[in-house]
Amino acid sequence: MMPFPSKLKQRGGIEYLTTMSDLKDDSCGHAPRVCLNQHELIRKYQCPDCDAVMMCSCDQEFGERFLSHQLSDGRELETQKRVSVTHGFQPNICSECRGLPADSAPAAPIHGRTSKIKRYYWRELFFEARRRQADWDEANSTAGDEERRVAHAEIEKAVLDEIKELHAARPKYVFSELSSADVIAKYAVEIDALSATFVKGGKKGASIQLGNELVGAEEFAKRHYVKQGWQVLELESVPFHVLFGNMMWLVIQDIVDPQVRIVSFGDRRSFDDKQPREMVSTHLPDDFGSKGYGVRQSKTIQEHFEQMLDDGDLHWLFDYWLGPSEGLRQYLWAHREADIERARKLIDILPGDTIKTILLYLIGGYWDRYLGWPDLLLYRKNEFKFVEVKGSRDKLSEDQKRWIADNHDLLGLPFVIAKIHRSA
């Protein structure tokens, strides 16, 4: 094996090891290696035999040109713990350079990134578009902002089109996600089949004829269940964010936690009021929202439930903690009065044990679990159930699929899908 000089290399003001000299065994070939976080642009790999942390040399050109600030360390996916890179770029580290299938790491579906191409090829799209945009900028240094914006947008579209063609001819990734029908069948989800008259030309979100009105799917389902004797609370995810931030702030923002630090962000209320946004600050652990946080703080979390939530009046605690939890709730976009009222209503409707189950579920991996919650909560007397409303052609989102799986395996909440079919 070629010897490596024992020295630090500096790029972009950051020093990192480019050698193998600190290996426990310099002869280690890193046959096994584990990617610390597939969702990083410049991925870091750890060798379990010698503990070396390195990057693959196929990323070197791009990393040194554009992402020098990401070359000194990485973050473990599960814990968000920072891990220092000890051996810089090394050859034949990633799966592709070893002649293996590319590792699939689809990104979460967000606005502008819902297609499977964008979700699976997010890294390739970013790398190639960034390269071409930088080349264009260097060749057109006198271009104005608008010309540059248009050119960059055209480059992004061209790269996307090319990757679509490449995927059609030689797929790099296999899209293995379950379909909506597969998820419904696998987890034995109950379906409420409703029938409605859909009309063309209605306003967006209001295409169902109900008497003399045009209503949306959720409103149609809501009125259907009211006729059956249910009361209905409109939900989705944000009331659960309020509940979580309010009831868990004391643990999450505990200044005794050595990983808690101050974070700053734009004031959410000013954003709502379309006013200039001042920066506000709050305390947050650096591994907040990861599965590792729930594991690391499991004892503290359990004590919180035993000392505060088990013996406390949840209604009283909710109102008492609204003020102290403001910073965390703003960070979570869980600050609006309407959402606070819906969260308070959850405590009225759901049994205390159910509230605690939901809180424990969220704190066990908040960023993976905070989306996908059902549209409606039905309740009457001592009975309740959650409802996801879908029109005749609507499909489950990836977050909804994940929530259904988690509900089956972890939450155990009564749940149905209201599927609104077109009348014959």
Side-chain angles (χ1 to χ4, degrees):
M1 179 175 290
M2 181 183 297
F4 288 81
S6 177
K7 66 179 181 179
L8 288 168
K9 196 166 185 178
Q10 183 168 348
R11 292 189 180 93
I14 298 173
E15 289 186 336
Y16 60 93
L17 280 166
T18 60
T19 77
M20 296 179 68
S21 61
D22 285 349
L23 288 175
K24 294 179 180 177
D25 179 357
D26 282 350
S27 65
C28 181
H30 314 304
R33 81 284 181 271
V34 178
C35 183
L36 298 178
N37 188 342
Q38 289 284 1
H39 296 282
E40 287 189 314
L41 286 165
I42 304 298
R43 291 167 173 164
K44 285 77 182 181
Y45 301 84
Q46 187 165 33
C47 174
D49 288 344
C50 66
D51 290 333
V53 178
M54 67 211 85
M55 301 164 287
C56 189
S57 57
C58 66
D59 287 336
Q60 185 166 359
E61 181 273 332
F62 187 89
E64 291 176 352
R65 183 180 182 188
F66 299 109
L67 298 171
S68 61
H69 62 289
Q70 294 188 16
L71 306 185
S72 61
D73 56 39
R75 282 186 180 272
E76 290 182 343
L77 178 61
E78 294 296 318
T79 66
Q80 291 300 294
K81 177 184 176 182
R82 282 194 178 275
V83 179
S84 295
V85 172
T86 62
H87 287 72
F89 291 99
Q90 301 293 332
N92 300 321
I93 297 300
C94 75
S95 294
E96 289 179 90
C97 287
R98 293 187 175 196
L100 301 171
D103 297 321
S104 174
I110 60 174
H111 180 69
R113 193 181 64 198
T114 57
S115 71
K116 286 187 171 63
I117 290 290
K118 288 186 176 181
R119 291 181 53 234
Y120 278 78
Y121 288 87
W122 59 273
R123 196 164 173 266
E124 291 82 357
L125 287 166
F126 179 84
F127 277 29
E128 188 57 31
R130 185 69 187 91
R131 284 191 187 98
R132 296 188 193 182
Q133 288 168 345
D135 291 343
W136 188 94
D137 290 344
E138 291 174 4
N140 299 272
S141 58
T142 61
D145 290 344
E146 180 61 18
E147 184 181 359
R148 180 175 180 273
R149 184 192 67 79
V150 171
H152 280 210
E154 290 176 349
I155 289 171
E156 289 180 0
K157 184 179 184 305
V159 171
L160 177 60
D161 290 341
E162 290 173 18
I163 287 182
K164 286 179 179 178
E165 291 179 5
L166 286 171
H167 177 76
R170 298 184 304 278
K172 183 175 181 179
Y173 302 113
V174 176
F175 300 158
S176 58
E177 295 165 351
L178 296 175
S179 68
S180 295
D182 291 338
V183 169
I184 290 169
K186 180 176 180 178
Y187 298 106
V189 179
E190 180 183 347
I191 303 294
D192 274 355
L194 310 183
S195 179
T197 301
F198 286 80
V199 298
K200 295 182 179 180
K203 294 182 180 178
K204 183 178 180 180
S207 58
I208 296 177
Q209 188 77 48
L210 188 60
N212 296 323
E213 296 181 78
L214 285 179
V215 300
E218 286 185 27
E219 181 64 22
F220 179 85
K222 180 179 176 180
R223 297 192 193 185
H224 166 81
Y225 288 117
V226 168
K227 287 183 179 179
Q228 292 187 337
W230 292 98
Q231 295 187 69
V232 181
L233 178 65
E234 296 180 17
L235 273 181
E236 295 188 333
S237 300
V238 180
F240 294 100
H241 305 176
V242 176
L243 190 67
F244 175 78
N246 183 281
M247 305 304 284
M248 300 305 297
W249 75 274
L250 197 60
V251 172
I252 295 168
Q253 300 186 299
D254 185 0
I255 59 173
V256 175
D257 181 353
Q259 292 189 221
V260 165
R261 80 279 195 236
I262 295 177
V263 298
S264 298
F265 52 91
D267 181 70
R268 314 305 197 199
R269 297 185 185 278
S270 297
F271 176 84
D272 290 343
D273 295 336
K274 298 182 179 179
Q275 298 296 319
R277 298 177 69 186
E278 296 182 358
M279 298 300 290
V280 298
S281 300
T282 194
H283 290 85
L284 207 67
D286 57 16
D287 57 350
F288 170 73
S290 69
K291 292 180 181 178
Y293 173 80
V295 174
R296 181 176 69 82
Q297 288 288 78
S298 58
K299 182 178 179 181
T300 302
I301 292 167
Q302 187 60 40
E303 289 175 351
H304 177 69
F305 277 85
E306 290 175 354
Q307 297 173 10
M308 296 291 181
L309 299 185
D310 279 356
D311 298 327
D313 181 330
L314 295 184
H315 293 85
W316 182 84
L317 283 174
F318 183 88
D319 290 332
Y320 184 68
W321 281 343
L322 274 178
S325 69
E326 169 74 10
L328 177 59
R329 288 189 295 102
Q330 274 216 40
Y331 178 78
L332 301 177
W333 290 92
H335 61 286
R336 299 182 178 97
E337 292 303 320
D339 296 320
I340 292 172
E341 286 306 310
R342 288 190 291 167
R344 184 182 284 112
K345 192 68 175 176
L346 285 173
I347 297 177
D348 293 333
I349 298 168
L350 300 177
D353 287 344
T354 299
I355 295 290
K356 296 165 193 172
T357 296
I358 291 170
L359 294 174
L360 281 170
Y361 167 73
L362 286 171
I363 207 164
Y366 182 80
W367 293 129
D368 290 334
R369 299 172 174 180
Y370 78 113
L371 295 177
W373 291 79
D375 297 313
L376 306 174
L377 173 59
L378 313 184
Y379 61 99
R380 57 188 179 192
K381 294 184 180 179
N382 297 321
E383 187 179 5
F384 69 91
K385 64 179 174 180
F386 291 86
V387 179
E388 177 64 36
V389 180
K390 291 295 179 186
S392 58
R393 298 181 181 177
D394 293 341
K395 297 180 180 179
L396 295 169
S397 70
E398 295 306 316
D399 286 316
Q400 290 166 343
K401 293 176 187 177
R402 189 262 315 143
W403 186 91
I404 289 171
D406 286 352
N407 186 54
H408 179 274
D409 296 339
L410 302 172
L411 286 166
L413 301 172
F415 170 71
V416 301
I417 293 177
K419 190 70 170 178
I420 306 176
H421 298 280
R422 295 176 180 273
S423 299

